[in-house]
DNA sequence: CTTTATCCCATATGATCCCATAAATTACCA
DNA sequence: TGGTAATTTATGGGATCATATGGGATAAAG
């Protein structure tokens, strides 16, 4: 499970250390890779462990062969995703287009989201957090609703 | 599995490098060729690994011999398809009619779609991506719906 | 005999590997 | 417990390798 968040440096080669805690989580997968793709709706990146992303992909592959919906999902998720391997020091190399998409320069924040994590330009992340606060009460209420439904 | 997308140059001879990541996927097939055909519905090309395309073809071959439906599929897929080999540097040569069909000149984008990939003129692809965004929420919902149905 | 495709080599760019350092964390022991 | 050693983590730079791409020679086809 990906928990808590970490800020790491991005060097001029585009390399960045994935937090050790996340790395050991990723190591449990059949390939020690992280699959990254640009969030279609905002300036950040999604990052999944290999096996979890594969499950995602399998669902898409099970959709009707050439249906428009399947094709759209394949474009936004499969074609946009990149499996990134680690160098000996636990770094990945963020491709140019990802760095651009997320406005990253110098530093990046890795934010655990449970079964995946996201990568942001730190200032953008802080702004997003601030905005989240306004929904906090409502979101919490929704959560407790769910809680009761599930008999928790 | 074909993941992520890459832009490569098409030289005046019509040659273009197939991304190395795709090449190594194609190399797992019984012949190191890629089977390409023009998308019937839009300006791009489909590209399959040899064995997977064969399986596809088998399905068509199992249809009643002279049925109009089989004949149409045979024309759009089998007759239009072309197995392309690689030169020593991992390039294929796109035949003139494919280049025309996809409006390709100078550059081409290879978009992984899981069990196959597609080839586009980059600007056309970007336009398509943009259009995809309008369906993003719905498509994602459909995917998670599938998710629960399948117990994922 | 011209045109077109294939093969072969040469090169630049960019990715990957490897080592070296520094900071932070943990382990160990007086 | 305080302090020191050992380990893990993050980071930087350079060497090496892979990939993409261009041009020309050779072979095949019309």
């Amino acid at each position: 499970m990906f928990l808590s968040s970490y800020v790491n440096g991005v060097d001029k080669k585009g390399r960045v250390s994935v937090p050790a805690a996340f790395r050991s989580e990723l190591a449990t997968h059949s390939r020690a890779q992280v699959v990254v793709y640009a969030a279609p709706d905002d300036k950040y990146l999604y990052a999944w462990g290999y096996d979890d992303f594969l499950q995602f992909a399998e669902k898409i592959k099970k959709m009707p062969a050439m249906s428009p919906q399947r094709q759209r999902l394949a474009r936004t998720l499969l074609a946009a995703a990149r499996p990134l391997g680690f160098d000996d020091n636990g770094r990945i190399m963020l491709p140019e287009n990802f760095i651009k998409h997320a406005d990253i320069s110098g530093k990046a924040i890795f934010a655990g989201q449970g079964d995946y994590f996201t990568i942001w330009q730190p200032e953008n992340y802080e702004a997003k957090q601030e905005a989240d606060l306004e929904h906090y009460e409502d979101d919490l209420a929704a959560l407790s609703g769910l809680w009761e439904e599930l008999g928790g």
Side-chain angles (χ1 to χ4, degrees), chain A:
Chain A
M1 165 114 113
F2 299 107
L3 281 183
S4 111
S5 52
Y6 307 85
V7 176
N8 279 342
V10 181
D11 67 21
K12 47 196 167 195
K13 290 184 185 177
R15 295 179 300 183
V16 58
S17 285
V18 172
F22 289 6
R23 246 156 42 210
S24 55
E25 181 68 32
L26 292 164
T28 66
H29 290 247
S30 62
R31 291 195 202 176
Q33 289 185 328
V34 53
V35 181
V36 180
Y37 64 91
D41 58 326
D42 207 343
K43 298 195 207 172
Y44 64 98
L45 308 172
Y46 280 90
W48 293 80
Y50 186 80
D51 292 340
D52 289 337
F53 184 83
L54 224 68
Q55 245 183 324
F56 230 129
E58 288 302 324
K59 304 288 189 237
I60 294 176
K61 286 209 258 175
K62 278 186 187 138
M63 298 177 83
M66 314 234 153
S67 78
Q69 195 168 57
R70 175 185 161 153
Q71 302 221 355
R72 285 196 300 267
L73 282 167
R75 278 191 296 265
T76 37
L77 298 181
L78 302 187
R82 281 190 73 145
L84 302 176
F86 296 96
D87 70 10
D88 293 356
N89 305 321
R91 288 177 290 195
I92 55 174
M93 233 213 53
L94 289 177
E96 187 58 29
N97 59 320
F98 285 168
I99 292 193
K100 249 192 214 158
H101 178 87
D103 257 338
I104 288 171
S105 70
K107 300 215 157 276
I109 185 164
F110 294 74
Q113 304 278 300
D115 40 6
Y116 62 95
F117 61 92
T118 56
I119 307 172
W120 302 68
Q121 197 256 322
E123 281 146 39
N124 287 346
Y125 185 71
E126 276 163 36
K128 184 61 82 172
Q129 276 187 309
E130 201 121 337
D132 288 344
L133 278 182
E134 300 188 15
H135 297 273
Y136 179 61
E137 302 270 337
D138 291 346
D139 290 347
L140 210 58
L143 188 59
S144 354
L146 241 166
W147 191 268
E148 272 147 37
E149 263 180 51
L150 295 170

